[in-house]
Amino acid sequence: ARELQRPVSIHTVQCFGPLAQCLGELKKKRQLPPKMYFHAYGGKEGTVDQLLALCGREIGQLYFGFAPIISTFPNSQLCTIVVLQSHHLADI
């Protein structure tokens, strides 16, 4: 993706550790894709902060989409949307 300057779509469920390790290795090699979209994101607020630290905080670099089910999550999960909006990331 980096070589072709293409964005990637990422969908993970309960595997942030391996994802963070992979992104960290790509970052060290300067091979992170130019844009990343986290499809149907349902992770915690702290995970968003870690992803921003790993992948960059530039506007337009990271995007997060939310499944309609997000509205049924407990209030603690809904904080993720507020954090993302405060970072000017997409709520797709």
Side-chain angles (χ1 to χ4, degrees):
R2 180 68 178 174
E3 182 178 319
L4 298 175
Q5 290 298 297
R6 300 284 190 212
V8 296
S9 177
I10 300 169
H11 182 98
T12 61
V13 178
Q14 297 181 355
C15 63
F16 177 70
L19 174 64
Q21 182 179 0
C22 179
L23 292 173
E25 290 173 14
L26 289 173
K27 184 177 182 177
K28 286 179 189 176
K29 296 176 184 179
R30 297 178 169 257
Q31 293 181 347
L32 282 173
K35 295 178 189 283
M36 289 174 269
Y37 168 64
F38 290 88
H39 170 73
Y41 183 79
K44 297 179 181 178
E45 181 179 342
T47 304
V48 171
D49 290 333
Q50 290 174 327
L51 287 169
L52 289 168
L54 276 170
C55 302
R57 296 180 180 269
E58 291 181 34
I59 294 173
Q61 193 169 0
L62 294 181
Y63 296 86
F64 292 80
F66 300 98
I69 191 119
I70 190 86
S71 63
T72 64
F73 287 174
N75 288 338
S76 62
Q77 292 294 314
L78 293 177
C79 290
T80 301
I81 295 172
V82 174
V83 169
L84 294 176
Q85 289 175 344
S86 71
H87 287 292
H88 306 285
L89 298 174
D91 180 9
I92 299 172

